[in-house]
Amino acid sequence: MSDDHAPTILAEPAATTATATAPRFPIAPGTALNVRSGPGTGYGVVRTLPAGSSVTLYCQTPGTTVTGPYGTTKIWDNIGSGEYVSDAYVHTGSDGYVTGRCG
């Protein structure tokens, strides 16, 4: 084949790799988790994740302190545009930040 195809082949894996590197973590077993519009319990619920879900963490930020299956924390995980869940319900394997801070 001609070399004209090489840039296309190289571009596809790069895009796939970037998507694959976003950290994904399971929520607490048996828990339906409220997704809020901001990092705290004072923000409205925008949807509820069903038990057994996993979430992609785009960034983390401090907010309302929450106690859940994975301890007490003020860390909130951004899982999408205007979507936050308490890190107390996400199994990250850490009591601290595991990805970059929001903002």
Side-chain angles (χ1 to χ4, degrees), residues 37-39 56-63 74-85 97-103:
S37 61
T56 299
L57 305 188
Y58 294 104
C59 62
Q60 294 176 299
T61 191
K74 66 178 184 176
I75 298 174
W76 284 74
D77 304 328
N78 176 262
I79 63 167
S81 181
E83 295 187 330
Y84 295 84
V85 295
Y97 289 87
V98 296
T99 191
R101 296 234 185 160
C102 302

Side-chain angles (χ1 to χ4, degrees), residues 7 9 12 30 37 46 57 64 66-67 71 83 94:
I9 293 169
E12 290 178 47
S37 61
V46 295
L57 305 188
T64 305
V66 172
T67 299
E83 295 187 330
S94 173

Side-chain angles (χ1 to χ4, degrees), residues 13-36:
T16 303
T17 301
T19 302
T21 59
R24 191 159 181 84
F25 301 96
I27 65 170
T31 301
L33 184 59
N34 287 334
V35 178
R36 297 186 176 271

